[in-house]
């Protein structure tokens, strides 16, 4: 076994000394500051020393006495010494207030460029531009770190969502090839349904990525919200009736004022995603209501139900990708991939609106969509 030599003990003490960070004189930017201070001080000494000598020569040339000339020379030399000390003091304060913060931000920026998104710079708390710069930098790195974590989570979630149907398809096909399963219509239909679910997942991810990047094509037109709600009610009335759920539509105010500029198909998709969730979590005999109203310069659409509601600790996450209120539910039980609310949020944002969820005082959940209304909407004549 190789014995530890003196150099190992020295290296250990060296690392212990640096464990709490390098000394102040070796902080980032200190070397540059020292070189600047040396050159600046040398120049000041040379200039002011020369001024003192010139002052002595001019005093003698002007006929000054021998007693005045040394005083002038001594004053020039004293000035030559005092000014560098003053300059050094000012430079030291400038180093602590300007050079050190800038050097710290530069070192942190290099760390971010190398992939370390956990780096942060110190904020002295004083109201100055460098404190604001440090605060902005920390906000930027925190957002970058959050985005990177979301990207990692998305990759893991997509892999998880794809793994189950792919294993089912693979198992079914291998069973058919090995003769374990008979190629019946039921067996092939189950495999086909899994492929359709994969196609829906891929389509949802494509829509979500386009909406988040601001590249989702929208066919904008004047949309009468009452007509939009009536179409959605017609599409889901059969599902609601099958579960004995009362699905209603309420329009408050003049229907002519409930007009927005939007994509009819995308808005229909938003409401469909919300209704799917409401119908899924509302028990038999419950109620689901669609309402439209005008509030100042916006049109508000609400989707309310009498289901179990959303726990308060889960409400901040319901619009994230692959979120499910009940993780124990499987696709076979009607649970989706957890992209519906995330897509709804991005589609509403693409229309310049907002969406929020809250619990009702009487029980259940209320989703509220706010979209800017047309300033002068055209008059729609009822058919």
């Amino acid at each position: 076994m190789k014995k530890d030599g003196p150099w190992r003990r020295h290296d250990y003490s060296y690392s212990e000394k640096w464990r709490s960070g390098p000394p102040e004189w070796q902080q980032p930017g200190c070397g540059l500051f020292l070189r600047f201070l040396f050159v600046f001080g040398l120049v000041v000494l040379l200039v002011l020393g020369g001024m003192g000598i010139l002052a002595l020569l001019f005093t003698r040339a002007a006929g000054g006495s021998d007693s005045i000339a040394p005083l002038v020379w001594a004053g020039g030399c004293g000035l030559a010494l005092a000014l560098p000390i003053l300059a050094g003091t000012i430079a030291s304060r400038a180093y602590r207030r300007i050079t050190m913060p800038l050097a710290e931000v530069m070192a942190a920026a290099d760390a971010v460029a190398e992939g370390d998104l956990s780096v942060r710079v110190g904020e002295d708390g004083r109201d100055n531009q460098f404190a604001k710069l440090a605060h902005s930098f920390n906000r930027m790195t925190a957002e970058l770190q959050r985005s990177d974590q979301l990207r990692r989570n998305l990759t893991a979630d997509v892999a998880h969502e794809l793994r189950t149907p792919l294993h089912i398809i693979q198992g079914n096909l291998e069973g058919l090839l090995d003769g374990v399963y008979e190629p019946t219509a039921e067996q092939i239909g189950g495999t086909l349904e899994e492929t359709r679910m994969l196609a829906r997942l891929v389509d949802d991810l494509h829509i979500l990525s386009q909406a988040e990047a601001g590249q989702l094509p929208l066919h904008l037109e004047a949309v009468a919200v009452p007509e939009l709600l009536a179409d959605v009610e017609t599409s889901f009335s059969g599902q609601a009736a099958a579960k004995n759920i009362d699905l209603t539509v309420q329009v408050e105010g003049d229907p002519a004022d409930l007009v927005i500029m939007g994509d009819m198909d995308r808005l229909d998709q938003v409401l469909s995603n919300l209704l799917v969730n409401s119908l899924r979590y509302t028990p038999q005999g419950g109620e689901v209501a669609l309402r439209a109203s005008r509030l100042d310069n916006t049109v508000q659409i609400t989707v309310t139900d009498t289901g179990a509601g959303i726990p308060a600790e889960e409400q901040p996450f319901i619009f994230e990708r692959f979120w499910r209120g009940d993780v124990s539910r499987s696709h076979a039980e009607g649970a989706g991939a957890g992209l519906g609310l995330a897509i709804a949020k991005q589609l509403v944002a693409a229309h310049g609106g907002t969406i929020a969820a809250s619990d009702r005082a009487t029980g259940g959940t209320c989703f509220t969509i706010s979209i800017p209304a047309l300033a002068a909407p055209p008059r729609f004549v009822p058919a």
Side-chain angles (χ1 to χ4, degrees):
M1 181 181 295
K2 187 176 180 180
K3 297 182 179 180
D4 292 339
W7 64 274
R8 290 185 178 272
R9 292 194 298 271
H10 174 73
D11 182 67
Y12 176 78
S13 61
Y14 178 82
S15 62
E16 287 292 330
K17 179 180 66 174
W18 280 74
R19 181 169 295 176
S20 60
E24 183 177 351
W25 62 272
Q26 289 192 5
Q27 292 288 341
C30 189
L32 178 62
F33 170 74
L34 291 177
R35 290 195 297 270
F36 167 76
L37 184 61
F38 173 76
V39 174
F40 177 75
L42 182 61
V43 171
V44 170
L45 286 174
L46 291 176
V47 171
L48 294 182
M51 291 175 60
I53 295 174
L54 289 176
L56 177 62
L57 295 177
F58 278 122
T59 301
R60 288 182 175 179
S65 63
D66 293 338
S67 60
I68 296 178
L71 291 176
V72 175
W73 182 83
C77 291
L79 189 63
L81 292 175
L83 286 181
I85 295 176
L86 179 61
T89 303
I90 296 175
S92 178
R93 291 179 60 85
Y95 166 70
R96 294 180 180 275
R97 295 178 60 87
I98 299 177
T99 307
M100 285 185 63
L102 284 178
E104 189 177 2
V105 172
M106 292 172 61
D110 291 337
V112 171
E114 294 175 0
D116 183 10
L117 300 180
S118 63
V119 64
R120 300 291 186 271
V121 296
E123 301 180 34
D124 57 12
R126 288 170 290 185
D127 187 16
N128 56 52
Q129 296 299 321
F130 293 102
K132 295 179 181 179
L133 173 63
H135 180 68
S136 298
F137 182 87
N138 289 338
R139 286 183 57 192
M140 179 193 70
T141 53
E143 186 62 27
L144 288 175
Q145 189 176 23
R146 177 179 175 275
S147 299
D148 183 68
Q149 186 61 44
L150 289 177
R151 178 183 59 81
R152 295 174 186 271
N153 293 343
L154 174 61
T155 303
D157 291 337
V158 170
H160 173 74
E161 291 296 329
L162 293 177
R163 186 181 298 114
T164 300
L166 285 177
H167 283 176
I168 294 175
I169 294 173
Q170 180 180 354
N172 290 345
L173 293 178
E174 289 177 351
L176 290 174
L177 290 176
D178 295 339
V180 178
Y181 302 137
E182 294 293 333
T184 61
E186 181 181 359
Q187 188 66 36
I188 297 176
T191 304
L192 179 60
E193 182 59 31
E194 294 295 330
T195 61
R196 288 171 177 168
M197 193 198 69
L198 281 177
R200 288 195 298 269
L201 177 60
V202 173
D203 290 340
D204 288 345
L205 287 172
H206 181 62
I207 293 173
L208 187 59
S209 62
Q210 282 187 312
E212 290 179 341
Q215 299 178 351
L216 183 67
L218 296 177
H219 303 286
L220 299 178
E221 59 181 347
V223 176
V225 174
E227 293 184 5
L228 173 65
L229 299 187
D231 291 343
V232 175
E233 180 190 20
T234 302
S235 300
F236 285 89
S237 59
Q239 297 183 31
K243 291 191 63 176
N244 192 25
I245 294 176
D246 186 17
L247 178 61
T248 61
V249 173
Q250 300 178 13
V251 176
E252 300 178 1
D254 187 354
D257 294 331
L258 303 177
V259 181
I260 60 177
M261 182 64 69
D263 187 319
M264 187 74 170
D265 294 334
R266 297 302 184 187
L267 293 173
D268 184 276
Q269 184 178 4
V270 171
L271 295 178
S272 297
N273 288 345
L274 297 181
L275 277 177
V276 165
N277 282 314
S278 295
L279 294 174
R280 179 181 300 151
Y281 294 107
T282 300
Q284 291 190 5
E287 298 179 358
V288 176
L290 295 170
R291 293 185 179 88
S293 61
R294 179 71 178 260
L295 180 61
D296 297 331
N297 295 324
T298 63
V299 174
Q300 286 194 343
I301 304 172
T302 60
V303 180
T304 58
D305 60 59
T306 57
I310 303 173
E313 63 273 12
E314 295 182 0
Q315 289 185 11
F317 312 106
I318 62 174
F319 293 105
E320 293 185 0
R321 305 184 190 97
F322 300 105
W323 178 87
R324 290 197 190 101
D326 186 0
V327 295
S328 64
R329 294 176 64 92
S330 64
H331 293 292
E333 295 172 326
L339 292 174
L341 293 181
I343 291 175
K345 179 182 178 180
Q346 293 299 328
L347 291 180
V348 171
H351 287 80
T354 59
I355 182 173
S358 61
D359 285 336
R360 301 176 62 197
T362 57
T365 306
C366 176
F367 287 93
T368 303
I369 301 172
S370 298
I371 299 179
L374 283 179
R379 291 288 175 177
F380 283 84
V381 179

